[in-house]
Amino acid sequence: MPRTTGGGKGTAPTTPLGLPAASALVIGSIIGTGVFALPSALAPYGPISLVAFVAVTLGALALAMTFGALAKRVPASGGPYVYAREAFGEFAGFLNAWSYWITAWAGNAAIVVAWVGYVEVFVNTGHNKWISLLLALVGLWIPAAINLTGVRNMGAFQVITTVVKFVPLIFMATVGLLFIDAHNFGPFNASGQSALGAISAAGAIALFSYLGLEAASVVAGRVREPGRNVPRATVYGTLVCAAIYILGTLAVFGTVAHGKLGGSTAPFTDAANSILGGSWAGDIVAVAAIISGIGALNGWTMLCAEMPYAAARDGLFPRAFARLRGENDVPAFGIVASTVLASLITVFSYTRFDDVFTKIVLLSVLTAVIPYLFSAAAQLYWLLVRGRENLSPGRLARDVTVAGLALAFSYWSIQGSGYQTVYYGLFVLLLGVPVYVWLKRGQDTLGGATAPRSAATVDRSERPPETPPPAQRLSRGLRTGSVDRPRKRNGLHHHD
């Protein structure tokens, strides 16, 4: 466990997340409502999209292993923000926190709109816009309320929703395989493009499915034995999701005719009805999608607060995000502020233009990939600068290869977002620059009398009890030495 650094009661949380809860957070953040519509999105490309899915899965696993290695080295809340700050300095850390925060609350707006679609299988079947909006707001604020009660309740709810959502998904990924009819697959490459073009186009869809694999690293300071459990939760959670995605999509491709699948709005429902007959099985899948969506919102609501919370304690986000409330040390301002923003964008999507909302969803994906890229770069930076001192040649070559794949996967993700999305994404990212200037106002970072405000100067009541302050900037390598003694240049050691 990291050293206690003050704040709150001066002790670590009495109910940290264990390995099952941390794994459930990863799985619940990755698998939301999108998995239930994914086969329809891939159907126009044909079964060749499964090849793209395997390629994307390898990239996601490379990222998961990279986050696991970084979490061993820096077992503190903040994930990509902490890694970028430690490797490249405060400004890089701020941009990562800013980018990820946008991802989290904008992504919640996307999840809740898809979630409402499944709720309306049972209520508001006429799709009255104002009732749909009310349902969406309820879907946003229920997870917020759960998170406000503390990490223990949030973790328990995450485990329950993950287990329940997995029942129909596991059924489709196992029993569903027994009902595959080869005639349903259609042409292997139905896109009319070259094989490489079809794989790239399908990959641009499939790669969006793994957002959230970094969830355990973002809340590492609240995980029991983070150096051990965060890497395991990240890799195990990603592997489980990969198996569900690939086998489940394969089963749907083989049980729903290709011509019908492309126009389906609920492919898992159609597949379940095809296997078991009638409509009752499809209703069960719809219930699972509702539970899956609310579980994903629960996990992402925590991430909405945790990333800016980690940055705020270092003086790199507004101070209100660093304040903990109640006996359970809840970052209440971050939870409420992010849910308000998600509510506003949801209202806008229901009352204005659908295409605007789609653009916002794509922006949320792009802003998630930027921290992925920085995290992979931070791992490469440490390996190339300090790896020879701590790793055997074989281990160094393996880790460099994995980090390189993660970096390439991140660039591919950005390319798959499209030129227009990248253009607007850069604009949204750079909107954070004035915020950074405002946060640094009155601080002479060029050697004047006023030192930059760091975690050490944040009020103890604002400091999280479970995470260390940022390391002093060194010229080479990441720093994770003890917070209670002067740091040494060789204070970083790799933990196998």
Side-chain angles (χ1 to χ4, degrees):
M1 290 288 291
R3 288 179 178 270
T4 299
T5 60
K9 302 173 185 60
T11 59
T14 57
T15 55
L17 299 174
L19 180 59
S23 300
L25 177 62
V26 173
I27 295 169
S29 298
I30 293 176
I31 298 181
T33 52
V35 63
F36 294 94
L38 190 63
S40 294
L42 296 175
Y45 304 97
I48 197 172
S49 59
L50 294 173
V51 178
F53 222 140
V54 171
V56 169
T57 298
L58 293 176
L61 287 173
L63 269 175
M65 293 174 67
T66 298
F67 277 115
L70 288 167
K72 287 182 179 180
R73 200 164 297 123
V74 192
S77 286
Y81 153 72
V82 174
Y83 311 145
R85 185 203 69 196
E86 291 290 287
F88 308 119
E90 288 189 345
F91 184 61
F94 167 79
L95 284 181
N96 275 263
W98 175 262
S99 183
Y100 195 88
W101 183 57
I102 293 172
T103 294
W105 58 259
N108 273 0
I111 293 171
V112 81
V113 170
W115 178 80
V116 167
Y118 287 100
V119 173
E120 290 182 340
V121 170
F122 305 103
V123 299
N124 191 33
T125 55
H127 304 294
N128 178 278
K129 178 177 65 176
W130 298 109
I131 296 178
S132 297
L133 176 58
L134 178 61
L135 290 171
L137 294 177
V138 170
L140 286 172
W141 285 97
I142 287 177
I146 293 171
N147 273 265
L148 287 171
T149 64
V151 68
R152 180 178 184 179
N153 292 335
M154 176 271 166
F157 186 78
Q158 197 69 17
V159 170
I160 293 171
T161 57
T162 298
V163 170
V164 173
K165 86 167 73 173
F166 257 69
V167 173
L169 292 174
I170 291 176
F171 171 82
M172 193 60 61
T174 53
V175 177
L177 297 175
L178 303 177
F179 292 86
I180 288 178
D181 182 348
H183 294 92
N184 288 326
F185 284 109
F188 181 68
N189 182 1
S191 67
Q193 307 178 48
S194 66
L196 183 59
I199 291 174
S200 297
I205 297 172
L207 60 86
F208 298 156
S209 305
Y210 287 101
L211 295 184
L213 61 87
E214 74 290 342
S217 70
V218 175
V219 299
R222 299 182 184 272
V223 176
R224 185 182 302 115
E225 298 183 66
R228 176 174 179 268
N229 286 331
V230 170
R232 291 185 177 188
T234 302
V235 175
Y236 293 167
T238 303
L239 283 171
V240 168
C241 292
I244 291 294
Y245 277 152
I246 294 175
L247 296 179
T249 302
L250 175 63
V252 173
F253 268 58
T255 53
V256 180
H258 180 262
K260 180 182 179 181
L261 183 60
S264 175
T265 57
F268 273 81
T269 295
D270 292 339
N273 288 336
S274 175
I275 293 171
L276 299 175
S279 61
W280 64 272
D283 290 343
I284 292 177
V285 172
V287 171
I290 293 170
I291 295 172
S292 178
I294 204 72
L297 287 167
N298 181 59
W300 276 101
T301 298
M302 183 178 192
L303 301 184
C304 278
E306 200 69 22
M307 179 72 79
Y309 163 62
R313 74 169 187 263
D314 298 335
L316 297 179
F317 232 72
R319 295 185 65 179
F321 285 90
R323 296 192 180 101
L324 302 174
R325 302 296 184 187
E327 295 182 357
N328 294 318
D329 291 329
V330 176
F333 182 85
I335 293 171
V336 173
S338 299
T339 306
V340 167
L341 288 170
S343 299
L344 291 175
I345 199 173
T346 301
V347 170
F348 184 80
S349 70
Y350 273 106
T351 58
R352 297 294 180 178
F353 307 103
D354 291 337
D355 62 333
V356 173
F357 180 70
T358 301
K359 290 184 177 65
I360 293 171
V361 171
L362 290 174
L363 283 176
S364 72
V365 173
L366 177 66
T367 52
V369 172
I370 291 172
Y372 290 177
L373 189 152
F374 270 90
S375 296
Q379 172 71 343
L380 274 175
Y381 174 75
W382 182 84
L383 290 171
L384 296 177
V385 173
R386 303 298 296 276
R388 293 183 182 87
E389 303 174 12
N390 299 274
L391 303 175
S392 66
R395 180 63 180 271
L396 178 62
R398 189 200 73 176
D399 288 357
V400 167
T401 300
V402 170
L405 287 173
L407 189 67
F409 177 70
S410 300
Y411 279 116
W412 188 32
S413 301
I414 293 174
Q415 183 273 335
S417 298
Y419 295 111
Q420 188 177 37
T421 301
V422 172
Y423 171 80
Y424 287 114
L426 179 62
F427 178 77
V428 171
L429 181 66
L430 294 181
L431 284 178
V433 174
V435 178
Y436 183 79
V437 173
W438 175 73
L439 290 170
K440 291 295 184 179
R441 69 194 186 283
Q443 298 180 10
D444 186 353
T445 58
L446 298 178
T450 305
R453 184 176 183 268
S454 67
T457 63
V458 178
D459 291 343
R460 290 178 65 87
S461 61
E462 299 174 12
R463 288 292 306 283
E466 72 279 4
T467 56
Q472 297 297 319
R473 183 68 178 159
L474 297 180
S475 60
R476 294 170 66 85
L478 302 179
R479 287 80 52 202
T480 59
S482 168
V483 300
D484 294 321
R485 61 180 181 270
R487 301 181 184 274
K488 301 178 181 179
R489 287 179 58 87
N490 62 352
L492 180 70
H493 297 287
H494 183 77
H495 300 279
D496 294 323

